[in-house]
Amino acid sequence: MKKLLGSLMLFVMGWKFKNEVPVYELRKCVLICAPHTSNWDLYYCLASFWCLKIPYKVMIKDAYTKPWYGFFFKAIGCLGVDRSQWNNLVQYSSELIKNSESMALINTPEATRSRSLKWKKGFYYIAKQANVPIALAYADYKNKVTGVSKIINIGDKPIEEVFDQIEIFYKPEMAKYPENYNPKIY
C-alpha cells in the first residue's frame, strides 16, 4: 500500500523516482538526505522510501513528536531527538540498526533547513559503529527527481575521505533553496 501511495505522491507533484542502488544494499544502512533546505524534503524522501518498500526510521527534532500531533510523525517512522541534551545518540542509533533485521536510519546531517557551516558527523559514526554503509538519498528540485543514488562502504576509510565522496555528489542546484545549501560540508 505504501509503495502505491509513494508513487501517487510523486505523480501528483510531477516528480519521478529513480533508484540507482540495489534494494538489498539498503536493508541495513544509514541513509542521508541532502540538501535539506525545506520541509518538503521530507515529503519527497518519504515518498521515495515508500516506493522502495524498505523499513526505515527518521531522526527529527522531538518538538515534532511530543505535541498532540506527534502520533502522526511516529506513525510515519520518525524518532524524536532532544538535541539540547547529550543522549549518546550514536550508540542508541547503531544499536537500533544492529538489532533490526532490516532498517535504514534516515538522517539529515545539515541539522537545519537554514544554511549550515558544516554537517553533523554523527551519521558517519553510527554507520561505522553499526558496520553498515552510508546511502546517499536526494530530492532534486531542479529536475524533479528523488531517489537513492550511491552507497559508500566505510570500512577503514577516514571521515575526510567519506565526506569528500559525499561532497562531490550533492550540488546546491538540487536544493529547493540553493542559497541555503553549503556545498562545503566539513
Side-chain angles (χ1 to χ4, degrees):
M1 181 67 174
K2 281 186 177 179
K3 183 175 183 173
L4 180 62
L5 181 59
S7 297
L8 181 63
M9 289 166 61
L10 293 173
F11 175 77
V12 166
M13 300 300 281
W15 280 55
K16 299 229 182 301
F17 169 70
K18 185 176 179 183
N19 181 41
E20 299 176 33
V21 174
V23 175
Y24 70 86
E25 290 192 46
L26 300 173
R27 291 285 175 211
K28 275 195 170 193
C29 68
V30 173
L31 209 153
I32 59 172
C33 300
H36 180 44
T37 63
S38 164
N39 282 332
W40 280 100
D41 301 340
L42 179 64
Y43 175 91
Y44 295 116
C45 286
L46 285 181
S48 65
F49 303 142
W50 288 349
C51 288
L52 287 168
K53 292 174 47 175
I54 56 172
Y56 65 86
K57 292 290 183 189
V58 181
M59 296 180 125
I60 64 170
K61 285 189 241 181
D62 65 350
Y64 291 105
T65 58
K66 284 187 175 179
W68 65 269
Y69 53 81
F71 73 91
F72 170 75
F73 288 99
K74 290 175 185 173
I76 61 172
C78 295
L79 292 172
V81 173
D82 181 359
R83 294 187 306 175
S84 67
Q85 298 181 23
W86 183 80
N87 293 316
N88 202 358
L89 285 175
V90 169
Q91 178 69 34
Y92 171 73
S93 302
S94 65
E95 290 299 321
L96 266 180
I97 297 170
K98 283 186 209 176
N99 296 329
S100 297
E101 188 175 309
S102 177
M103 183 179 53
L105 182 66
I106 300 168
N107 192 293
T108 55
E110 291 168 273
T112 179
R113 290 172 309 279
S114 304
R115 189 171 179 87
S116 177
L117 295 179
K118 61 182 180 177
W119 283 13
K120 303 283 186 189
K121 297 176 182 155
F123 73 92
Y124 169 84
Y125 295 109
I126 293 167
K128 190 152 185 88
Q129 197 165 3
N131 196 27
V132 296
I134 296 171
L136 306 185
Y138 64 96
D140 182 347
Y141 287 84
K142 181 179 179 184
N143 298 304
K144 288 190 163 190
V145 177
T146 184
V148 182
S149 191
K150 185 175 182 172
I151 289 279
I152 299 174
N153 291 302
I154 295 178
D156 292 330
K157 294 178 188 168
I159 193 169
E160 295 82 13
E161 184 178 333
V162 172
F163 272 45
D164 285 342
Q165 289 180 25
I166 294 168
E167 210 171 72
I168 290 168
F169 177 75
Y170 292 111
K171 306 288 182 227
E173 56 270 10
M174 297 168 92
K176 180 161 179 69
Y177 302 107
E179 66 278 6
N180 287 349
Y181 180 69
N182 182 3
K184 189 69 180 153
I185 64 176
Y186 72 101

